[in-house]
Amino acid sequence: MNTTIQLTINGMSCASCVGRVEKALHKVSGVTEVTVNLATETAIIQGSASYHDLVTAVTEAGYQVPLTLKQFGIGKMTCASCVTRVEQALGKVAGVVSASVNLATEQAQVNILSFVTDEQLEQAVTQAGYLFIPLNTDSKLNQTNKSEPFYSKAWWPVLGAGLLTLPLVFPMLGMLFGQEWMLPSFWQWLLATPVQFYFGARFYRAGWGALKARMGNMDLLVSIGTSAAYGLSLYLWWTFNSDQGMPHLYFESSSAVITLVLLGKYLEHKAKRRTTDALRSLENLKPVEATVLRLSKWQKVSVSSVLSGETVKVIPGERVPVDGEILQGKSHLDEALISGESVPVSKKEGDIVTGGSLNLDGILEIRTTNVGTESTLSKIIQLVEQAQGAKAPVQAIVDKVSSIFIPVVLLVAITTLLVTGIIFDDWTSAILNAVAVLVIACPCALGLATPAAIMAGTGTAARFGVLVKDAIALEQAKNIDLVVFDKTGTLTQGKPVLNEVTVINGTEAEVLQLAYSLQINSEHPLGKAVVDKALNQEIQPVTIEEFQVVAGYGAKGNIGNNSLMMGSSHWMQELGINLPTEQIKIPGASVSWLASQQADEIKLLALFCFNDELKSDALLAVKTLQQEGIRVAILTGDSQASATWVATKLQLDDFKAEVLPADKAKYIRQYQEQGYQVAMVGDGINDAPALAQADLGIAMASGTDVAVSASAITLMRSKPSLVATALTISRLTYRKIKQNLFWAFIFNAIGIPLAAFGYLDPIIAGAAMAFSSLFVVSNALLLQRWSMKEK
């Protein structure tokens, strides 16, 4: 059916952009006509193409369609086929570009265009037979729990069904000893009926919803299977000749299956909650109230109402409610959520504090900087939530299998029924075998295999200060065989100290004054070291005109008719200066040269040598990676001598020195062309292109927002040893995914034939099905026991 779709497109700047977008959209299957307007930044598309394909085409052409990410809870899901059903329902809503539903978290993430409303999404979910649950951003986990079915939230339905089922199952034990303890038929019926139609009512409701949607799910299989066993028992009871003793009924099978499924779901729910322990602990760090100065009085208010720029008071024992700067007071703070270390950190006026930190002793007055969703803690929680809600690429295969799994199982059950009944003329066994097929084939384990492992793995990573952006990063990390580090601020402290000034023309005071004047506006670490040295010597700067940072080289500016340049050896050589490198006395020092130019005459003034100490765990980081069979290299804009010194100290496999920022991505690409799967570790703006080019970008959170946004993994502590931790947890998580999928598939591959040929009683089949779901979740939870001491 042809429709008219309007898209907003950002990034177009000229008529050629319009042509490029139109050409890209015309290639999309189903598009019949395209009109792109540069002035309004919109595209009008006629045809039957999907929103996903259209947005993908625009993105691949180099432009952006503004999208909104919506998260909400989904209630009443029970298995992998429910996930497929909800995703299909959401995908049919006009304006939904993509939808991802997670069975383990019972949440959906949808990328939508601006005109899509919550009401439309809710209607789609409701019509599919599920619950739409808005998430309160302040307590998402607690909000979601309200949607959980009664058999997950409470133990009493399991106990109630179990107490009624026990008298039915207990006589089976007597049969092993030749005893006949079977209850009269009436009492069997009386005990089994409330289990079937009261405790099992939710299976009928959900199964009926699946039928109306022309799809199958776990509930449909359970309801059909147990109803068949219950109905067979009624038939045998009503048609039995009482003169022949007691009929052999199967009420115990139907009741036991329902009870075991309820028990399995209850235990599975308890295990699933443990996979969100890391996220829950982060949520618990967020204070509910804050003491704010308003109208010259301290007032207790909700943290959500605190505005940027307000003054907040924090007394000992309280958690800092917001990110901010200390205006008054000094104290020690426990910043374990960021540093991973519980050692108290001393804080004083002017220092920055992070929301969620624990104030240990002093009273602090803090000016708020980041509040609400912009706070550091909120961003951490958001990253963990997105990672836990995302799907690994392998999940696409599982979803395809799940979409046809239920129809195949129903076909196998019908075939089992007909073949056993017709060929062997034993319709009782035929029904029981078909019931066993239906019960053991419930695809719960299949749906939980991947998300449970991802939730446990990303939660464990967060506990060690590693934030994984999405599940794709986990798959990329497992193949990494080369890690490339930036040097300054990543392997080194990033706080170089000016150790030596070698004067070539003039006096030390003169050259230091000129260097100070030039670097006072610089953000480069070497420039800050010059400023610190000059301040210690109480040198006064002179006015610099036309100051300019020359990316990758240094800085320059003018004093009257005299041009000053301070920067790398490479830059000085390009300017035609012969450098007296023999005067570099400090091994491995970072060097910077100061030169002046008047008219056509360039004169070298001084040599500055800086030392930047290696981080305490830099050698451990390199050794750990190399022990895992991963090569380690550095890319740095620093001098050849400095890079050689670091490479020797750390015993690196390779290094590149004097690399311009624009060339870092080029070197990463060269490594990739040699066959390496490359992870790039950096922290600066100049590292962003290389982080994006690498197969896996890893950013230090102590670095710039640009570097963090360009990376797939963020290290919350400025410790290079966490790189090995991130890669190890990623590999272990992906291994758990493969283990879970193997057991989920093999379980059905073995169980269904055994049930079809009559080797599995429905009760055993029900127990095995419940065990399989619990097994994959428990296997995933083993990730939470991992520690960095393990190798």
Side-chain angles (χ1 to χ4, degrees):
M1 182 178 67
N2 281 354
T3 57
T4 301
I5 296 174
Q6 178 173 318
L7 296 179
T8 299
I9 301 177
N10 293 338
M12 296 189 298
S13 59
C14 60
S16 62
C17 297
V18 172
R20 194 175 298 121
V21 172
E22 288 181 341
K23 183 178 179 181
L25 290 173
H26 272 299
K27 291 181 180 179
V28 177
S29 177
V31 171
T32 57
E33 185 179 341
V34 176
T35 304
V36 178
N37 190 313
L38 180 61
T40 60
E41 294 187 317
T42 58
I44 307 296
I45 304 109
Q46 302 286 340
S48 57
S50 69
Y51 283 92
H52 177 270
D53 291 344
L54 295 173
V55 172
T56 300
V58 172
T59 304
E60 290 178 350
Y63 304 94
Q64 302 85 40
V65 176
L67 299 176
T68 301
L69 177 66
K70 282 274 187 180
Q71 288 182 280
F72 47 88
I74 305 289
K76 297 186 178 180
M77 291 194 302
T78 55
C79 65
S81 59
C82 296
V83 170
T84 303
R85 186 168 151 201
V86 176
E87 287 180 345
Q88 289 178 351
L90 290 169
K92 292 178 181 178
V93 177
V96 172
V97 176
S98 64
S100 175
V101 177
N102 189 310
L103 178 62
T105 60
E106 296 181 336
Q107 290 186 15
Q109 292 183 356
V110 292
N111 281 301
I112 59 175
L113 299 176
S114 58
F115 59 81
V116 181
T117 64
D118 287 351
E119 288 73 20
Q120 290 174 294
L121 299 174
E122 181 174 2
Q123 184 180 12
V125 172
T126 304
Q127 288 180 350
Y130 300 92
L131 289 177
F132 177 94
I133 305 133
L135 296 182
N136 182 337
T137 54
D138 290 331
S139 56
K140 289 185 179 179
L141 294 168
N142 295 332
Q143 188 76 14
T144 305
N145 291 342
K146 296 177 183 178
S147 71
E148 293 161 1
F150 74 88
Y151 66 83
S152 291
K153 288 192 296 185
W155 52 267
W156 67 265
V158 179
L159 178 63
L163 290 175
L164 292 173
T165 302
L166 191 60
L168 296 172
V169 177
F170 187 70
M172 296 177 65
L173 181 63
M175 294 173 63
L176 299 176
F177 301 99
Q179 302 295 319
E180 188 64 40
W181 295 342
M182 192 67 65
L183 293 173
S185 302
F186 174 77
W187 283 102
Q188 291 185 51
W189 170 80
L190 196 64
L191 290 168
T193 300
V195 175
Q196 186 71 36
F197 299 108
Y198 176 69
F199 293 111
R202 54 97 47 228
F203 298 114
Y204 287 101
R205 286 193 295 267
W208 175 244
L211 276 178
K212 288 194 296 182
R214 297 181 181 179
M215 295 189 69
N217 60 9
M218 182 206 78
D219 304 283
L220 183 62
L221 297 184
V222 172
S223 57
I224 292 175
T226 57
S227 296
Y230 183 88
L232 175 63
S233 300
L234 287 178
Y235 173 77
L236 294 174
W237 179 25
W238 291 341
T239 59
F240 186 74
N241 187 344
S242 59
D243 295 334
Q244 299 177 6
M246 287 182 60
H248 187 72
L249 308 180
Y250 300 95
F251 285 122
E252 81 282 353
S253 294
S254 62
S255 297
V257 167
I258 288 176
T259 301
L260 286 168
V261 173
L262 291 175
L263 175 62
K265 284 294 176 183
Y266 176 74
L267 295 176
E268 174 192 310
H269 165 75
K270 292 296 185 184
K272 277 164 56 179
R273 281 180 62 86
R274 286 184 56 199
T275 64
T276 60
D277 282 349
L279 188 56
R280 203 178 309 277
S281 63
L282 287 173
E283 289 273 8
N284 291 337
L285 291 176
K286 297 172 72 173
V288 178
E289 291 185 326
T291 304
V292 183
L293 183 63
R294 290 180 179 173
L295 302 176
S296 301
K297 295 172 62 177
W298 293 108
Q299 303 179 28
K300 282 278 188 183
V301 301
S302 169
V303 169
S304 60
S305 69
V306 178
L307 303 176
S308 180
E310 288 192 298
T311 301
V312 174
K313 181 168 69 175
V314 186
I315 63 175
E318 286 187 341
R319 291 198 177 274
V320 178
V322 292
D323 294 355
E325 179 184 348
I326 298 177
L327 295 177
Q328 185 174 326
K330 59 182 179 179
S331 182
H332 290 84
L333 268 63
D334 180 351
E335 296 184 325
L337 82 156
I338 297 297
S339 67
E341 309 289 344
S342 57
V343 178
V345 180
S346 177
K347 295 287 183 178
K348 60 184 185 304
E349 291 181 15
D351 287 344
I352 302 298
V353 295
T354 304
S357 303
L358 181 63
N359 183 24
L360 298 177
D361 41 38
I363 298 176
L364 299 176
E365 292 184 15
I366 300 166
R367 180 179 62 82
T368 63
T369 53
N370 298 318
V371 296
T373 57
E374 295 302 312
S375 68
T376 300
L377 181 57
S378 292
K379 288 179 178 178
I380 292 173
I381 292 173
Q382 184 181 13
L383 278 173
V384 176
E385 283 177 339
Q386 288 179 0
Q388 294 196 339
K391 287 188 177 183
V394 71
Q395 184 67 25
I397 301 173
V398 178
D399 292 343
K400 288 180 180 178
V401 172
S402 301
S403 64
I404 62 172
F405 190 78
I406 300 295
V408 170
V409 169
L410 289 172
L411 182 61
V412 172
I414 293 171
T415 303
T416 300
L417 175 69
L418 295 177
V419 170
T420 307
I422 294 173
I423 295 179
F424 298 100
D425 194 25
D426 185 355
W427 289 99
T428 298
S429 295
I431 292 174
L432 292 177
N433 292 350
V435 169
V437 169
L438 292 171
V439 172
I440 201 168
C442 292
C444 308
L446 202 58
L448 289 168
T450 300
I454 289 174
M455 291 170 65
T458 53
T460 299
R463 183 157 51 90
F464 287 106
V466 177
L467 299 183
V468 182
K469 184 175 290 185
D470 53 38
I472 296 175
L474 294 174
E475 185 163 353
Q476 292 169 325
K478 72 182 177 65
N479 297 319
I480 295 301
D481 53 11
L482 172 64
V483 173
V484 179
F485 285 91
D486 170 52
K487 183 177 77 71
T488 305
T490 304
L491 288 175
T492 65
Q493 297 289 348
K495 297 178 180 178
V497 176
L498 178 55
N499 292 103
E500 185 175 330
V501 179
T502 302
V503 178
I504 298 171
N505 283 292
T507 66
E508 180 172 333
E510 289 173 344
V511 297
L512 191 55
Q513 182 187 45
L514 293 175
Y516 173 37
S517 304
L518 189 60
Q519 297 292 346
I520 196 170
N521 294 314
S522 173
E523 291 297 320
H524 194 281
L526 298 185
K528 291 182 178 180
V530 171
V531 172
D532 291 341
K533 182 81 169 182
L535 289 174
N536 288 336
Q537 296 187 14
E538 298 183 351
I539 293 175
Q540 297 299 315
V542 295
T543 302
I544 297 288
E545 297 175 346
E546 299 181 24
F547 172 80
Q548 181 183 352
V549 174
V550 183
Y553 288 99
K556 65 179 183 179
N558 298 331
I559 301 178
N561 295 325
N562 190 20
S563 294
L564 284 179
M565 293 148 295
M566 184 174 182
S568 67
S569 301
H570 186 67
W571 188 21
M572 296 298 140
Q573 289 168 347
E574 282 190 4
L575 293 173
I577 301 175
N578 292 320
L579 300 177
T581 53
E582 70 280 357
Q583 296 198 37
I584 301 175
K585 300 295 192 299
I586 303 175
S590 298
V591 299
S592 189
W593 305 85
L594 179 66
S596 66
Q597 180 176 10
Q598 196 165 18
D600 293 330
E601 182 185 357
I602 299 179
K603 183 168 59 175
L604 195 62
L605 300 181
L607 162 67
F608 295 80
C609 290
F610 304 84
N611 254 3
D612 189 5
E613 294 295 324
L614 290 170
K615 288 182 177 177
S616 58
D617 65 329
L619 183 59
L620 172 65
V622 173
K623 288 297 182 186
T624 304
L625 289 169
Q626 290 173 335
Q627 288 170 5
E628 296 290 333
I630 299 172
R631 291 172 60 84
V632 184
I634 60 170
L635 289 178
T636 178
D638 217 334
S639 67
Q640 187 76 23
S642 177
T644 302
W645 180 80
V646 171
T648 303
K649 280 280 187 181
L650 299 181
Q651 300 176 33
L652 300 178
D653 298 293
D654 192 17
F655 68 94
K656 308 291 184 187
E658 299 180 1
V659 179
L660 297 177
D663 291 337
K664 285 191 175 183
K666 182 187 72 175
Y667 280 107
I668 295 294
R669 190 159 49 249
Q670 287 179 359
Y671 283 127
Q672 291 169 326
E673 289 170 354
Q674 294 171 24
Y676 289 108
Q677 292 284 313
V678 184
M680 172 68 192
V681 187
D683 67 341
I685 292 176
N686 61 340
D687 296 322
L691 288 166
Q693 173 65 40
D695 298 285
L696 180 70
I698 302 177
M700 300 280 190
S702 57
T704 65
D705 289 341
V706 176
V708 172
S709 64
S711 63
I713 292 178
T714 300
L715 309 181
M716 292 309 298
R717 286 176 270 157
S718 188
K719 298 183 67 173
S721 58
L722 281 180
V723 174
T725 300
L727 297 182
T728 300
I729 293 177
S730 297
R731 285 197 298 270
L732 291 175
T733 301
Y734 206 78
R735 187 183 304 167
K736 288 297 180 188
I737 290 174
K738 291 195 294 185
Q739 289 174 357
N740 282 350
L741 289 176
F742 170 80
W743 286 113
F745 277 113
I746 204 71
F747 174 84
N748 283 298
I750 295 175
I752 292 175
L754 288 176
F757 287 106
Y759 293 107
L760 282 183
D761 183 273
I763 296 177
I764 297 175
M769 186 271 289
F771 170 78
S772 67
S773 299
L774 188 61
F775 174 81
V776 296
V777 177
S778 300
N779 187 43
L781 285 173
L782 293 176
L783 286 167
Q784 295 185 339
R785 300 173 60 182
W786 183 85
S787 70
M788 286 189 287
K789 295 179 182 179
E790 297 182 24
K791 300 295 180 189

